[in-house]
Each structure stands twice: as C-alpha cells, then as structure tokens.
Amino acid sequence: MCFNEKMDTLGIISKPFSLVLLIVFSLHVVPSLCFTSFVFGDSLVDAGNNDYLFTLSKADSPPYGIDFKPSGGQPTGRFTNGRTIADIIGQALGAKSFPPPYLAPNTQAEVILRGMNYASGASGIMDETGFFFIGRIPLGEQVNYFEQNRNFMVNAMGENRTKEFLKKAIFSLTSGSNDILNYVQPSIPFLGHDKVFPTTFLDFMISNLTIQLKRLHELGARKLVVVGVGPLGCIPFVRAFKLLPSGKCSGEVNALIQRYNEKLKELLNRLNQEMGPEAIFVFGNSYHVFMNIIANYRQFGFENADEPCCGGYFPPFICFKSRDANTSASALCEDRSKYVFWDAYHPTEAANLIIAKQLLYGDESSSSPINIHKLYSDNS
Ligand SMILES: *[C@@H]1O[C@H](CO)[C@@H](O)[C@H](O)[C@H]1NC(C)=O
Ligand SMILES: *[C@@H]1O[C@H](CO)[C@@H](O)[C@H](O)[C@H]1NC(C)=O
Ligand SMILES: *[C@@H]1O[C@H](CO)[C@@H](O)[C@H](O)[C@H]1NC(C)=O
C-alpha cells in the first residue's frame, strides 16, 4: 500500500497536524512505500522557506512560479518559473505531492507522509555564506531542523519504524553554489575580509559538508544524493561582473568549481567505502550535465543559453512584476521553454527537466556510482 496515496484520497494532507496524528496512530502506520524525500540546499531547490524569513533572497512575487501548475501560476517561493529539479525527480519517482517547506505553518506532521524541504535561498555549506541577504538557513541549521522532525517521527511511530522509514527515503543536498559565488564575487569595501587561498577555501567547504553528511547518516539517512556545483562561470550574473561577451564563460570560476567537484567526488567515494553498502552516497554531476546543455543548447530545443528569460541581460537583473499594476514589470521573454536561464542565477523549468532526467536515468558521467532511479529502486 502506498500510504501517501491513501492520505491524499482521504483529503487529510492539509488538515491540522493533530488530526493527522490521530489518523497516523489509528491506522498503525507502517513506513510508507511511496517516494519520500528530504531536501536540503539553496535556492535551486528552495520550495518556499525563504518566504517565512526576513531576507533579500525571496521569490515571492510574479512572474516567479508562472508555470507552476499546482499554484495556478502564482509564486510559491521557488526561484524559477516552474518546478525545481527536486520537484521533478520526486514526481518521476512517484511522489504524489511535494515535500512542504519546513518553515510553512503546520507542516510538522506531514513529514511522515511527504518528507520535508529545508532548502533556503542564499544559503550555503558555510554559516556565514549569504550574510548580505540577511535571512537564510545555512546547511547546518537545515540539518538541525531535520533532527527536530526526526524526534517528532520517533514520538509518532517509534524508533524502529522511523529507522525503516528513513532508510528508504532519498536525502538530497544541493549546496555549495553560494559559497563559491561569495568567494569569487568582488568583495564589498569595509565588509570584505582578506580571502583565504582557494585550496584552503575548498577544503573548508568539504570539511564542513562532511560534518553534515555524517550527522545525517547518524540520524538514519541511507540514500543520499549530493549534487555538485554547476558551471557558475556561465550564469548571467557571473558573466556580467566578469564583463564577458555573450557565449563566453568565466574559465577561472569554472576551474575553481571543477576542483571543488573533484574533492567532493573523492569525499563521497571515501564515505561509500566507510559506510557502504548499508549507505549509498551518490554524486550528482550537475556540472557535466549543465555544461552539456549550454554547449549543445540547440540540440536540446533551446534558442538562448546566454540571457535570462526574466530581468534583462544587465545588472541589477531584477525579475519582478508588480501584482496589481501594469507598470514596473520587468522584461519577460516570449517563450520560456526556449531559454536555459530563468533569471540571472537560476535555470528555467525547461532546463531543470533535462538536468533532472540526466541525474535520474543517466550514466556514470551524470550520476555515480549509480543514478538516482537505481538508488531509489534498490532495496537491499
Ligand atoms: C526494535 O528493533 C530492535 C532490533 O531490531 C528489537 O530488538 C526491538 O525489540 C524493536 N523494538 C520494537 C518496539 O519493536
Ligand atoms: C568550516 O569552515 C570554517 C570557515 O568558514 C573553518 O574555519 C572551519 O575550520 C571549518 N570546519 C571544519 C571542521 O573544517
Ligand atoms: C493593464 O493594462 C491593460 C491593457 O494594457 C488594462 O486593460 C488594464 O486595466 C491595466 N491594469 C491596471 C491595473 O492598470
């Protein structure tokens, strides 16, 4: 039985959590066979957490969400026009609904049914990343929130069932882009610290990430996907401050990212040796997948891999449309499915679809040691 489905048909999902709890107890919940996921990361997978923060990093106004069907095209806090990569992967693996944002009210009980999304725009692996955006949830804090949810699960269904439940769930982490962006961006006078050497910086990222991965493992995660950092040297924001002509990426930024991804891959190999085969850590090679899209965008059906669909090609790249007036609407491209970039930082849903598909079903160049579909289907 697929528990999610049953709860959906009962129309329970949106009820207050005490009622969900009552039903959970009365049905003697066995861990769900449905796809459940716990989503950690930054704006690439934020599903609305930043809407509940005081922050400059928000996607709560149109045209964000314009192609997101469940909301009827209204913004949901997702930093793209439609679904995120995490949304698409969940749907492909049979999730009946998206994991709710942790900070949304009354979502705690839903963790047993749908998993949870802790991702937060502007956040990074390091606590201080994104500080000029003010509010954001750093990765370590996201794991703290998961720990709270886990305590709730143990109270609701006991330690053993919680373990069983978590063993089958997919834990995905999509973080690191903002750490790198903060590092390569020109520093702000007065606020800028002296930068540490690139190697030192990358090692900080890796060692801080290692702590969070080990914590998640200790808390019961067994199927983990760690998505590497994509080719940020090619995003409109970086190309603008590096003053690069169209069609050119920053080789310097991309080289740093490739070094990070190499270190990340080594780390995951090591964790697989230490903790396998009970636990699997999958490396999602978003760099390879996204670079392939940019290099061959016409083959993938795109017409523009340079400019953002929303917010124009020049700083300050504001993608915003006032809800009630026709004025102050920012430029929006005519056909969103023909653009790789939605805004100056984020891919369109069309690009997310291709990335998600590669991570799900691709070969070792996209996802290693196994792809996400295999990771989910494996039940040893
Ligand atoms: C939980 O699992 C352990 C070990 O598998 C077992 O000894 C214990 O009796 C179980 N507890 C419950 C409440 O089922
Ligand atoms: C985490 O990163 C910080 C720099 O932000 C560094 O000082 C610290 O040593 C790192 N932690 C570990 C365990 O490496
Ligand atoms: C927006 O523009 C359309 C025509 O271009 C007009 O019909 C409509 O009343 C305008 N809306 C507002 C709120 O001004």
Side-chain angles (χ1 to χ4, degrees):
M1 180 194 75
C2 179
F3 189 61
N4 281 4
E5 225 166 332
K6 178 149 193 165
M7 295 307 278
D8 269 355
T9 42
L10 291 174
I12 294 306
I13 292 286
S14 58
K15 299 291 192 303
F17 83 89
S18 54
L19 181 56
V20 176
L21 253 192
L22 194 73
I23 285 163
V24 162
F25 282 127
S26 60
L27 288 179
H28 292 288
V29 181
V30 284
S32 164
L33 293 175
C34 282
F35 176 84
T36 317
S37 68
F38 295 90
V39 179
F40 302 81
D42 54 29
S43 57
L44 289 169
V45 289
D46 187 344
N49 281 308
N50 276 24
D51 281 2
Y52 300 95
L53 296 176
F54 179 76
T55 179
L56 301 176
S57 172
K58 260 190 213 259
D60 61 346
S61 56
Y64 283 93
I66 190 168
D67 297 309
F68 192 74
K69 294 211 176 66
S71 69
Q74 292 306 305
T76 62
R78 285 170 174 78
F79 290 76
T80 181
N81 57 313
R83 289 163 294 166
T84 67
I85 295 169
D87 293 333
I88 297 163
I89 289 179
Q91 279 183 325
L93 295 178
K96 293 289 180 281
S97 53
F98 303 119
Y102 174 85
L103 293 181
N106 301 322
T107 52
Q108 178 165 242
E110 294 183 31
V111 73
I112 300 171
L113 311 173
R114 303 205 267 161
M116 196 61 77
N117 182 312
Y118 308 93
S120 163
S123 75
I125 293 170
M126 253 100 93
D127 288 350
E128 56 274 29
T129 290
F131 80 102
F132 33 71
F133 288 95
I134 313 172
R136 78 273 176 209
I137 315 166
L139 184 61
E141 189 70 15
Q142 295 178 26
V143 177
N144 292 345
Y145 288 160
F146 168 69
E147 198 168 2
Q148 288 170 17
N149 279 154
R150 190 191 188 281
N151 291 338
F152 172 86
M153 286 182 248
V154 171
N155 283 333
M157 50 186 191
E159 182 73 33
N160 286 5
R161 280 177 184 167
T162 299
K163 272 190 185 145
E164 279 302 307
F165 179 69
L166 296 177
K167 220 168 88 180
K168 298 190 181 103
I170 301 281
F171 288 72
S172 71
L173 291 87
T174 308
S175 200
S177 295
N178 291 319
D179 303 280
I180 302 261
L181 278 178
N182 281 196
Y183 184 77
V184 299
Q185 237 164 289
S187 36
I188 300 168
F190 309 112
L191 288 177
H193 307 282
D194 282 341
K195 282 178 185 171
V196 295
F197 285 116
T199 309
T200 313
F201 180 74
L202 298 182
D203 288 340
F204 280 162
M205 280 178 71
I206 293 289
S207 55
N208 279 273
L209 176 65
T210 307
I211 295 173
Q212 302 312 328
L213 290 174
K214 288 192 166 161
R215 279 181 72 200
L216 284 174
H217 179 264
E218 214 148 276
L219 293 167
R222 292 296 177 269
K223 296 185 175 192
L224 299 98
V225 178
V226 186
V227 179
V229 176
L232 299 175
C234 304
I235 68 173
F237 172 75
V238 169
R239 295 210 335 258
F241 78 69
K242 294 280 186 188
L243 306 172
L244 293 167
S246 78
K248 286 263 180 298
C249 303
S250 165
E252 185 195 342
V253 172
N254 281 352
L256 184 71
I257 292 167
Q258 283 178 290
R259 282 174 63 194
Y260 169 74
N261 286 335
E262 275 309 309
K263 285 174 187 279
L264 174 59
K265 213 173 157 184
E266 279 164 27
L267 165 67
L268 300 179
N269 281 340
R270 201 167 69 235
L271 293 176
N272 277 324
Q273 272 161 21
E274 281 171 24
M275 298 171 183
E278 291 78 21
I280 307 181
F281 295 79
V282 167
F283 171 65
N285 197 344
S286 58
Y287 187 97
H288 169 80
V289 173
F290 200 74
M291 211 52 176
N292 189 27
I293 295 175
I294 291 176
N296 305 296
Y297 64 95
R298 291 199 178 271
Q299 285 172 32
F300 287 100
F302 294 106
E303 283 167 9
N304 194 322
D306 254 1
E307 299 168 29
C309 169
C310 182
Y313 190 43
F314 300 103
F317 295 119
I318 292 169
C319 175
F320 175 78
K321 183 170 164 291
S322 154
R323 272 167 206 270
D324 42 29
N326 287 343
T327 50
S328 76
S330 47
L332 189 63
C333 69
E334 219 157 77
D335 187 348
R336 299 181 283 276
S337 71
K338 299 279 186 265
Y339 277 68
V340 172
F341 292 103
W342 164 246
D343 61 16
Y345 304 86
H346 306 101
T348 52
E349 180 185 69
N352 282 341
L353 273 165
I354 297 166
I355 300 166
K357 207 172 153 195
Q358 285 293 312
L359 296 179
L360 268 165
Y361 307 111
D363 62 19
E364 288 217 358
S365 63
S366 312
S367 204
S368 62
I370 54 176
N371 62 36
I372 299 177
H373 181 257
K374 182 104 180 10
L375 177 72
Y376 175 61
S377 324
D378 264 7
N379 268 322
S380 41

PDB file of all heavy atoms in Angstrom, residues 126 128 204 207-208 211, ligand 2:
ATOM      1  N   MET A 126      28.653  26.843   4.344  1.00  0.00           N
ATOM      2  CA  MET A 126      29.217  27.598   5.470  1.00  0.00           C
ATOM      3  C   MET A 126      28.197  28.550   6.066  1.00  0.00           C
ATOM      4  O   MET A 126      27.425  29.183   5.343  1.00  0.00           O
ATOM      5  CB  MET A 126      30.431  28.388   4.979  1.00  0.00           C
ATOM      6  CG  MET A 126      31.713  27.792   5.466  1.00  0.00           C
ATOM      7  SD  MET A 126      32.548  26.805   4.296  1.00  0.00           S
ATOM      8  CE  MET A 126      33.628  28.018   3.608  1.00  0.00           C
ATOM      9  N   GLU A 128      28.413  31.501   7.306  1.00  0.00           N
ATOM     10  CA  GLU A 128      28.455  32.932   7.005  1.00  0.00           C
ATOM     11  C   GLU A 128      28.056  33.233   5.543  1.00  0.00           C
ATOM     12  O   GLU A 128      27.776  34.378   5.203  1.00  0.00           O
ATOM     13  CB  GLU A 128      29.838  33.522   7.322  1.00  0.00           C
ATOM     14  CG  GLU A 128      31.023  32.859   6.640  1.00  0.00           C
ATOM     15  CD  GLU A 128      31.581  31.636   7.400  1.00  0.00           C
ATOM     16  OE1 GLU A 128      30.796  30.966   8.119  1.00  0.00           O
ATOM     17  OE2 GLU A 128      32.774  31.343   7.262  1.00  0.00           O
ATOM     18  N   PHE A 204      37.747  23.956   3.421  1.00  0.00           N
ATOM     19  CA  PHE A 204      36.736  24.341   4.422  1.00  0.00           C
ATOM     20  C   PHE A 204      35.351  23.863   4.012  1.00  0.00           C
ATOM     21  O   PHE A 204      34.604  23.299   4.805  1.00  0.00           O
ATOM     22  CB  PHE A 204      36.683  25.867   4.586  1.00  0.00           C
ATOM     23  CG  PHE A 204      37.759  26.438   5.468  1.00  0.00           C
ATOM     24  CD1 PHE A 204      38.060  27.804   5.407  1.00  0.00           C
ATOM     25  CD2 PHE A 204      38.462  25.648   6.366  1.00  0.00           C
ATOM     26  CE1 PHE A 204      39.040  28.358   6.218  1.00  0.00           C
ATOM     27  CE2 PHE A 204      39.443  26.189   7.182  1.00  0.00           C
ATOM     28  CZ  PHE A 204      39.741  27.545   7.098  1.00  0.00           C
ATOM     29  N   SER A 207      35.210  20.038   4.406  1.00  0.00           N
ATOM     30  CA  SER A 207      35.198  19.523   5.785  1.00  0.00           C
ATOM     31  C   SER A 207      33.905  19.903   6.502  1.00  0.00           C
ATOM     32  O   SER A 207      33.365  19.118   7.285  1.00  0.00           O
ATOM     33  CB  SER A 207      36.433  19.992   6.557  1.00  0.00           C
ATOM     34  OG  SER A 207      36.546  21.385   6.517  1.00  0.00           O
ATOM     35  N   ASN A 208      33.387  21.099   6.210  1.00  0.00           N
ATOM     36  CA  ASN A 208      32.091  21.470   6.804  1.00  0.00           C
ATOM     37  C   ASN A 208      30.956  20.598   6.261  1.00  0.00           C
ATOM     38  O   ASN A 208      30.056  20.203   7.004  1.00  0.00           O
ATOM     39  CB  ASN A 208      31.788  22.954   6.550  1.00  0.00           C
ATOM     40  CG  ASN A 208      32.512  23.882   7.534  1.00  0.00           C
ATOM     41  OD1 ASN A 208      32.007  24.147   8.614  1.00  0.00           O
ATOM     42  ND2 ASN A 208      33.692  24.356   7.168  1.00  0.00           N
ATOM     43  N   ILE A 211      30.903  17.093   7.899  1.00  0.00           N
ATOM     44  CA  ILE A 211      30.240  17.055   9.212  1.00  0.00           C
ATOM     45  C   ILE A 211      28.738  16.848   9.041  1.00  0.00           C
ATOM     46  O   ILE A 211      28.134  16.001   9.705  1.00  0.00           O
ATOM     47  CB  ILE A 211      30.509  18.364   9.984  1.00  0.00           C
ATOM     48  CG1 ILE A 211      32.000  18.478  10.304  1.00  0.00           C
ATOM     49  CG2 ILE A 211      29.658  18.449  11.249  1.00  0.00           C
ATOM     50  CD1 ILE A 211      32.387  19.805  10.914  1.00  0.00           C
TER      51      ILE A 211
HETATM   52  C1  LIG B   2      34.320  25.187   8.447  1.00  0.00           C
HETATM   53  O1  LIG B   2      34.607  26.386   7.782  1.00  0.00           O
HETATM   54  C2  LIG B   2      35.193  27.401   8.566  1.00  0.00           C
HETATM   55  C3  LIG B   2      35.386  28.620   7.736  1.00  0.00           C
HETATM   56  O2  LIG B   2      34.136  29.141   7.437  1.00  0.00           O
HETATM   57  C4  LIG B   2      36.522  26.924   9.108  1.00  0.00           C
HETATM   58  O3  LIG B   2      37.083  27.914   9.951  1.00  0.00           O
HETATM   59  C5  LIG B   2      36.299  25.646   9.871  1.00  0.00           C
HETATM   60  O4  LIG B   2      37.537  25.135  10.253  1.00  0.00           O
HETATM   61  C6  LIG B   2      35.573  24.610   9.043  1.00  0.00           C
HETATM   62  N1  LIG B   2      35.250  23.462   9.863  1.00  0.00           N
HETATM   63  C7  LIG B   2      35.892  22.320   9.746  1.00  0.00           C
HETATM   64  C8  LIG B   2      35.509  21.228  10.650  1.00  0.00           C
HETATM   65  O5  LIG B   2      36.737  22.175   8.899  1.00  0.00           O
END
